[in-house]
Amino acid sequence: MSDHDQAVVQSSNGSRGRPRRIASFDDFSFGEEQPADVATGLVSVGFLWAAIRRSARLWGALAVIGLIIGLGYYFTSPPAVKASTSVLLTYGQDESPASAIFDNQTMAESHAVASLAMKKLGDTKDVVGTFAASYVVGVVTDRILDIQASAPTSAQAVARANAIAAAFLQFRAGQEKAIQQAQVAQLTGEVATAQASVEDLQAKIATERAQGATAAQLKSLTSQLNQAQVNFSTVQQLVGSTKAGSSVIQATAGSVVLDPASPLPASKTKKLAEYAAYGIIGGLAIGIAIAAIGAIISDRLRRRDDVARALGSPVRLSVGPVRLSGRLPRSKRGLEAAGDAEVRQIVAHLEGVMPSRERKVALAVIPVGAPAAAALATVALAVSCAEDGRRVVLADLAAGAPAAALLGVAGPGVTSVSAGSAQVVLAVPGPGEVAPAGPVGRAPEGARSKFSEEVAAACGPADLLLTLATLDPALGADHLASWASNGVAMVTAGTSSWGRLHAAGEMARLAGITLISTILVGADRSDESLGVIEEPAPLLGLRELS
């Protein structure tokens, strides 16, 4: 390597600031393989927050979708209107209000009451269970129950609440009446038994008298008869009081509807805002969950340290996302996008790693991931150097020829292209030349072609050969060594896995290409790693024991 080759000091995120040199056309520099560590960064709050921030469009779109769904649900299935009524209860003498109120609450919420209320309303469409779920019964005091019914309209809610209250009182009265009838039936049986006992004793006394029983014998029978008559009279009185129906009278006359049903006040604007808020919150939650879970399970690398370890080359420059032409206004598409600050930074870095003009220079730009940003930076570098008076040859070996597309060249071949006031020689291989040989160093036997000869002729008077090349594990990178012996890898954060980056680094090293720098595009602002390749510490010998 010549003494004229300029040393380039690594940036603050390089490997310890040691200078590197870039080789001339005919020089090769085989770099030592650097071990790649598969370890990745820890999942932290900052890591998750960066992933969520990057996915702002996703959760923002889901929040808008949630808002639309919430509003649509409000208008297609508006919230039910509620009406309320209260019932005042009267209890029998044998009932405890403190415990009976809860029994009545359960009774009012039963399917039996709901079915009776549906009959009063003439409702034959609803299911009893659904109707019962449309109202709630609350305990206000030990004598007052509050019934709140829901329905699509205010009138329906009022009618439903009134029907439920009436059905409850009717059902409760029916239950009391059934209890009374059971008691009357039981007492009627006891009356018949008592009467039969009296009649039996009377007949027995008459028989004993006729047979001349003693006074002592008659006295005992007479005592039994008197007791039976008293028992018969008592049972008759119980039947009479029960038939009077005091409990039923209390249940039907004393238990009444305290307040007729009336609709509860509700703000439509407030309900609309609630539905909209629920939709937005739901959409945000789903979007944030997708972003966070996707970041945790993703194998795509973003941190500088992870990229450097996987690629085996230090990250010496990291920039934010590059605004590609498809995302810019029409007035700034194509090469106009090279005016972005990130692209200017990349171009300045690439110019910094190249030596002075005293030697011919060959440099390969190797995109790993999305090649569009690398193509834009490489073309911008070629145009910048050509405007400075250097004779530049740009070889576009990347899949799809993105550099040629930026310069407006559609077909293969070696042509001179005008870019503003600069002239750049563009070399694009044909579709059949998947691994064309270049003009630098030794090319594999039989790899030379007409395209290779044309490129070699164009590079004769050239000062700078820039090669944009993507690496394919199926083809390897041996042909790339005939285009340059030094390369700069450009990695787009979040697009490549550890395996892909490691494979690209290994292919470059096996081909004898030294990765003098790695540029990370789209780096997270929260990334605090340096992208340094740690060298192993020297082994210390052990002292012998005396």
Side-chain angles (χ1 to χ4, degrees):
M1 187 176 295
S2 173
D3 293 336
H4 295 292
D5 291 339
Q6 180 181 352
V8 178
V9 180
Q10 301 175 17
S11 63
S12 60
N13 60 349
S15 57
R16 310 190 181 189
R18 291 186 298 276
R20 292 282 183 90
R21 295 178 181 273
I22 186 168
S24 62
F25 272 16
D26 300 324
D27 293 336
F28 286 87
S29 177
F30 292 89
E32 297 181 358
E33 292 190 9
Q34 301 181 21
D37 187 1
V38 298
T40 57
L42 298 176
V43 177
S44 61
V45 175
F47 172 82
L48 293 178
W49 173 243
I52 293 171
R53 188 175 62 247
R54 286 194 305 270
S55 305
R57 290 186 178 182
L58 170 64
W59 50 258
L62 289 177
V64 173
I65 293 174
L67 172 63
I68 295 173
I69 293 175
L71 294 178
Y73 187 76
Y74 174 84
F75 289 110
T76 56
S77 300
V81 181
K82 293 183 178 181
S84 174
T85 184
S86 56
V87 178
L88 176 65
L89 301 179
T90 302
Y91 303 103
Q93 295 180 355
D94 56 343
E95 290 184 288
S96 172
S99 59
I101 187 65
F102 296 104
D103 295 336
N104 283 275
Q105 180 188 22
T106 304
M107 185 188 303
E109 293 176 340
S110 66
H111 283 193
V113 173
S115 178
L116 186 58
M118 291 175 62
K119 291 180 181 179
K120 290 182 176 294
L121 292 171
D123 187 356
T124 58
K125 296 180 180 180
D126 287 337
V127 180
V128 176
T130 304
F131 185 88
S134 68
Y135 70 92
V136 293
V137 180
V139 176
V140 180
T141 67
D142 58 0
R143 291 190 62 195
I144 298 177
L145 290 177
D146 177 68
I147 300 174
Q148 289 189 5
S150 301
T153 64
S154 177
Q156 291 176 342
V158 170
R160 182 171 292 187
N162 286 328
I164 294 168
F168 165 64
L169 292 179
Q170 180 181 343
F171 183 80
R172 184 170 181 263
Q175 291 297 108
E176 293 290 340
K177 186 176 181 180
I179 294 174
Q180 181 200 41
Q181 289 174 348
Q183 291 175 348
V184 169
Q186 179 182 0
L187 293 175
T188 301
E190 293 180 1
V191 167
T193 302
Q195 184 177 0
S197 178
V198 169
E199 291 175 353
D200 288 344
L201 289 172
Q202 288 176 345
K204 191 173 183 180
I205 291 174
T207 302
E208 290 295 332
R209 284 178 178 173
Q211 294 178 356
T214 63
Q217 292 176 339
L218 293 175
K219 182 178 181 181
S220 175
L221 292 173
T222 303
S223 177
Q224 294 178 17
L225 177 60
N226 293 335
Q227 184 63 38
Q229 289 175 341
V230 170
N231 186 38
F232 175 69
S233 177
T234 302
V235 174
Q236 279 186 323
Q237 291 178 0
L238 287 176
V239 172
S241 62
T242 302
K243 288 183 176 181
S246 59
S247 298
V248 176
I249 294 174
Q250 290 176 350
T252 56
S255 299
V256 294
V257 174
L258 188 60
D259 293 320
S262 60
L264 295 177
S267 173
K268 292 185 177 180
T269 304
K270 182 179 178 181
K271 283 294 182 182
L272 180 63
E274 288 180 358
Y275 276 63
Y278 292 151
I280 293 174
I281 293 173
L284 283 175
I286 294 174
I288 291 174
I290 292 174
I293 295 174
I296 293 173
I297 66 176
S298 175
D299 61 347
R300 301 298 189 261
L301 303 185
R302 290 186 174 274
R303 298 176 68 251
R304 283 185 280 265
D305 276 358
D306 296 338
V307 171
R309 292 189 184 110
L311 196 59
S313 172
V315 177
R316 297 180 182 170
L317 176 68
S318 57
V319 297
V322 173
R323 300 181 64 192
L324 303 177
S325 59
R327 301 178 183 176
L328 295 173
R330 291 187 178 275
S331 59
K332 291 187 176 182
R333 293 190 178 183
L335 288 179
E336 295 297 329
D340 278 5
E342 290 79 8
V343 179
R344 293 199 303 268
Q345 279 184 278
I346 296 173
V347 171
H349 178 76
L350 293 175
E351 289 178 344
V353 301
M354 292 191 301
S356 63
R357 303 183 184 184
E358 299 179 10
R359 298 284 295 179
K360 293 185 176 183
V361 177
L363 177 66
V365 178
I366 304 173
V368 184
L376 181 59
T378 305
V379 172
L381 173 64
V383 173
S384 175
C385 292
E387 289 176 346
D388 288 342
R390 304 182 74 172
R391 291 164 292 185
V392 181
V393 175
L394 173 60
D396 189 356
L397 309 184
L406 288 173
L407 292 172
V409 177
V414 180
T415 56
S416 180
V417 181
S418 297
S421 60
Q423 290 287 330
V424 176
V425 176
L426 177 65
V428 181
E433 296 182 274
V434 293
V440 179
R442 301 180 302 274
E445 292 295 334
R448 294 291 181 181
S449 63
K450 181 179 179 182
F451 172 75
S452 300
E453 294 175 356
E454 292 178 354
V455 173
C459 288
D463 302 314
L464 175 62
L465 171 60
L466 294 176
T467 303
L468 178 69
T470 52
L471 299 182
D472 186 354
L475 300 176
D478 292 341
H479 68 288
L480 191 57
S482 63
W483 293 90
S485 58
N486 297 279
V488 175
M490 283 190 63
V491 180
T492 303
T495 60
S496 300
S497 64
W498 187 94
R500 184 175 183 181
L501 290 171
H502 183 64
E506 288 299 308
M507 282 191 292
R509 282 186 288 275
L510 289 174
I513 298 172
T514 302
L515 295 179
I516 59 176
S517 178
T518 298
I519 301 173
L520 181 61
V521 179
D524 287 336
R525 289 177 291 178
S526 60
D527 182 14
E528 298 180 352
S529 62
L530 296 178
V532 175
I533 297 296
E534 295 292 341
E535 296 182 358
L539 297 177
L540 299 178
L542 298 178
R543 298 181 60 184
E544 296 181 358
L545 297 176
S546 57

